Amino acid sequence: MSSYPFSGKTIAIDFETASEARASACSIGLAWIEDGEVVRVEERLIRPPGMRFSSFNIAIHGIRPEDVADQPEFPDVMAEFFEDFHGAAMIAHNASFDFSVLRASLDFYGLAYPELSYYCSVKLAQRHWPDLPSHRLNCLADHLGLSFDHHNAAEDARVCALATLAMAEEAGVSGIGALAERTGVRPGRLHRDGYEACSFVKRARRAPVLQ
């Protein structure tokens, strides 16, 4: 258990998609953080609109049309979790992708955006561990000595959560907001009127020392 338990509701999220279309989610993984540890991990398969799968995406995650043919569509899957999302701080590894999938899927089905803030663990890791040769999720798992089944949505969410906890513990902070402030990462937001992207805070250059 971490010495720095997270305050507030924090959830890591990961999507796998059936094709290049953002509104083609075929799997979602979620990992809940409470009291400095991952306390719950869930995965659900999703039947994407039109059931069009690309061979490229199948090669990445291994999910095929027959795996999701009898699964519920996005609105029914999300109904189980949407109350958890409202007011949460959420994390994704490469959040620009996962939250574009969420937005595109909500738009496709005419659903309102939940009110939440979100953070990108790639950006957090780039600032917290700047000397790592790569900040891909499998590289962070190797760095932390974590077993990992990459491109399984539940595993991706779990390792994203564990990497974020590790960064917070090393930084000596008690929540993802404090970690983002320490590393110079501005949270993104979803709200009923749209969204703002997660981004780096531009750091002021140090003035040259005059001799």
Side-chain angles (χ1 to χ4, degrees), residues 60-143:
I60 291 173
H61 51 58
I63 300 171
R64 298 177 177 276
E66 57 266 30
D67 297 323
V68 300
D70 297 325
Q71 298 299 318
E73 292 192 36
F74 179 86
D76 293 325
V77 173
M78 297 307 292
E80 180 181 355
F81 305 116
F82 236 45
E83 284 304 312
D84 284 345
F85 289 6
H86 282 283
M90 301 194 71
I91 322 162
H93 206 72
N94 188 16
S96 62
F97 170 78
D98 292 287
F99 282 91
S100 70
V101 172
L102 179 58
R103 294 195 315 272
S105 299
L106 293 169
D107 291 343
F108 181 88
Y109 288 102
L111 300 174
Y113 292 178
E115 298 274 343
L116 57 85
S117 59
Y118 69 90
Y119 300 81
C120 179
S121 53
V122 173
K123 288 180 166 56
L124 294 170
Q126 286 171 339
R127 284 284 174 86
H128 182 77
W129 290 311
D131 296 329
L132 288 182
S134 170
H135 296 90
R136 291 173 58 85
L137 198 53
N138 58 321
C139 295
L140 297 192
D142 288 344
H143 176 68

Side-chain angles (χ1 to χ4, degrees), residues 1-2 6 10-13 31-34 36-41 91 93 121 128-129 137 140-141 143-148 154-170 179:
M1 182 173 174
S2 170
F6 267 30
T10 309
I11 306 169
I13 186 170
W32 284 257
I33 296 173
E34 292 179 11
E37 59 186 0
V38 176
V39 297
R40 177 185 173 194
V41 178
I91 322 162
H93 206 72
S121 53
H128 182 77
W129 290 311
L137 198 53
L140 297 192
H143 176 68
L144 296 169
L146 301 173
S147 61
F148 183 34
E155 278 285 280
D156 285 7
R158 180 184 69 88
V159 170
C160 171
L162 290 172
T164 304
L165 282 168
M167 286 185 272
E169 183 163 15
E170 288 183 6
L179 176 62

